[in-house]
Amino acid sequence: MEKIKPLTWTIMKKKHMPMVAGFLGENLKFFEIDKGIAGRTPNDKSPFVAVGYFYINDVAEYNKAIGQNIDAIRTDFKNYTNITPVIQISEIKQVRYLDRNKE
């Protein structure tokens, strides 16, 4: 079994995510990167080293842009990790900001 190569954060933050964001163009609202720090409890290992999110307007446009650039995206993965990515497309159903200043 191949040893897992530690994720190189600098490449992910400064090259990979911005590169994919460029492919998405005007369809992209914003993106974010989360670093896994723990699982359900502080002693549990995080199930993911990192999670990258692209917030987009249109899934069909996203799929088109990714499809047209899939070779570049896949090739770039090995520049910062050898972990096989997991892809999920979700729809945000609710966002709630809590106003902690209300009594």
Side-chain angles (χ1 to χ4, degrees), residues 26-95:
E26 294 295 316
N27 189 36
L28 180 67
K29 296 177 186 179
F30 62 95
F31 71 88
E32 66 180 79
I33 304 168
D34 294 353
K35 178 180 180 180
I37 57 172
R40 185 180 56 81
T41 68
N43 293 329
D44 291 339
K45 185 177 178 183
S46 173
F48 297 100
V49 175
V51 179
Y53 300 92
F54 292 104
Y55 293 84
I56 57 168
N57 294 303
D58 184 271
V59 174
E61 287 297 315
Y62 167 86
N63 287 330
K64 181 179 174 184
I66 296 300
Q68 291 172 343
N69 296 285
I70 195 66
D71 291 336
I73 294 167
R74 286 182 178 156
T75 298
D76 194 51
F77 283 143
K78 59 187 162 191
N79 289 327
Y80 67 94
T81 190
N82 64 354
I83 299 169
T84 302
V86 175
I87 309 297
Q88 175 176 311
I89 296 175
S90 300
E91 178 182 8
I92 298 171
K93 299 304 269 183
Q94 179 180 19
V95 175

Side-chain angles (χ1 to χ4, degrees), residues 97-103:
Y97 296 96
L98 302 178
D99 185 354
R100 303 225 185 258
N101 295 322
K102 285 187 174 181
E103 292 183 26

